Coordinates of all heavy atoms in Angstrom, one line a residue:
H6 N -11.8 31.8 46.9 CA -12.7 30.9 46.1 C -12.0 30.6 44.7 O -12.1 29.4 44.3 CB -14.0 31.6 45.9 CG -15.0 30.8 45.1 ND1 -15.5 29.6 45.5 CD2 -15.5 31.0 43.8 CE1 -16.3 29.1 44.5 NE2 -16.3 29.9 43.5
A7 N -11.5 31.6 44.1 CA -10.8 31.4 42.8 C -9.6 30.5 42.9 O -9.5 29.6 42.0 CB -10.4 32.7 42.2
L8 N -8.8 30.6 43.9 CA -7.7 29.7 44.1 C -8.1 28.3 44.4 O -7.6 27.3 43.9 CB -6.8 30.2 45.3 CG -5.9 31.5 44.9 CD1 -5.2 32.0 46.2 CD2 -4.9 31.2 43.8
D9 N -9.2 28.2 45.2 CA -9.7 26.9 45.6 C -10.2 26.2 44.3 O -10.0 25.0 44.0 CB -10.8 27.0 46.6 CG -11.3 25.6 47.1 OD1 -10.5 24.8 47.4 OD2 -12.5 25.4 47.0
H10 N -11.0 26.9 43.5 CA -11.5 26.4 42.2 C -10.4 26.0 41.3 O -10.4 24.9 40.6 CB -12.4 27.4 41.5 CG -13.0 27.0 40.2 ND1 -13.9 26.0 40.1 CD2 -12.7 27.4 39.0 CE1 -14.2 25.8 38.8 NE2 -13.4 26.6 38.1
R11 N -9.3 26.9 41.2 CA -8.2 26.6 40.3 C -7.5 25.3 40.8 O -7.1 24.5 40.0 CB -7.3 27.8 40.3 CG -6.2 27.6 39.3 CD -5.3 28.9 39.2 NE -4.3 28.7 38.2 CZ -3.7 29.6 37.6 NH1 -4.0 30.9 37.9 NH2 -2.7 29.4 36.8
C12 N -7.3 25.2 42.1 CA -6.6 24.0 42.6 C -7.4 22.7 42.3 O -6.8 21.7 42.0 CB -6.4 24.1 44.1 SG -5.1 25.3 44.5
S13 N -8.7 22.8 42.5 CA -9.5 21.6 42.2 C -9.5 21.3 40.8 O -9.5 20.1 40.4 CB -10.9 21.8 42.8 OG -11.6 22.8 42.1
T14 N -9.5 22.3 39.9 CA -9.5 22.1 38.4 C -8.2 21.5 38.1 O -8.1 20.6 37.3 CB -9.7 23.4 37.7 OG1 -11.0 24.0 38.1 CG2 -9.7 23.2 36.2
T15 N -7.1 22.0 38.6 CA -5.7 21.5 38.4 C -5.6 20.0 38.8 O -5.0 19.2 38.2 CB -4.7 22.4 39.0 OG1 -4.8 23.7 38.6 CG2 -3.3 21.9 38.7
A16 N -6.2 19.7 40.0 CA -6.1 18.4 40.5 C -6.9 17.4 39.6 O -6.5 16.3 39.4 CB -6.7 18.4 42.0
A17 N -8.0 17.9 39.2 CA -8.9 17.0 38.3 C -8.1 16.8 37.0 O -8.1 15.7 36.4 CB -10.2 17.7 38.0
A18 N -7.5 17.8 36.4 CA -6.7 17.7 35.2 C -5.5 16.8 35.4 O -5.2 15.9 34.5 CB -6.2 19.1 34.7
A19 N -4.9 16.9 36.5 CA -3.7 16.0 36.8 C -4.2 14.5 36.9 O -3.5 13.6 36.4 CB -3.0 16.4 38.1
K20 N -5.3 14.3 37.5 CA -5.9 13.0 37.7 C -6.2 12.4 36.3 O -6.0 11.2 36.0 CB -7.1 13.0 38.6 CG -7.6 11.7 39.1 CD -8.7 11.9 40.1 CE -8.9 10.6 40.9 NZ -10.0 10.8 41.9
R21 N -6.8 13.2 35.5 CA -7.2 12.8 34.1 C -6.0 12.5 33.3 O -5.9 11.5 32.6 CB -8.0 13.9 33.4 CG -8.5 13.5 32.1 CD -9.3 14.6 31.4 NE -8.4 15.8 31.1 CZ -8.6 17.0 31.6 NH1 -9.6 17.2 32.4 NH2 -7.8 18.0 31.4
D22 N -4.9 13.3 33.4 CA -3.7 13.1 32.7 C -3.0 11.8 33.1 O -2.5 11.0 32.3 CB -2.7 14.3 32.9 CG -3.2 15.5 32.1 OD1 -4.1 15.4 31.3 OD2 -2.6 16.6 32.5
Q23 N -3.1 11.5 34.4 CA -2.5 10.3 35.0 C -3.2 9.1 34.4 O -2.6 8.1 34.1 CB -2.5 10.3 36.5 CG -1.8 9.1 37.1 CD -1.9 9.2 38.6 OE1 -2.7 9.9 39.2 NE2 -1.2 8.3 39.3
A24 N -4.5 9.2 34.4 CA -5.3 8.1 33.8 C -5.0 7.8 32.4 O -4.9 6.7 31.9 CB -6.8 8.4 34.0
Q25 N -4.8 8.9 31.6 CA -4.5 8.8 30.2 C -3.1 8.2 30.0 O -2.9 7.4 29.1 CB -4.6 10.1 29.5 CG -6.0 10.5 29.2 CD -6.1 11.9 28.5 OE1 -5.2 12.6 28.4 NE2 -7.3 12.2 28.1

Side-chain angles (χ1 to χ4, degrees):
H6 177 68
L8 286 175
D9 185 51
H10 177 69
R11 185 174 181 159
C12 287
S13 65
T14 304
T15 304
K20 195 173 193 179
R21 185 181 63 243
D22 291 344
Q23 184 181 13
Q25 285 180 348

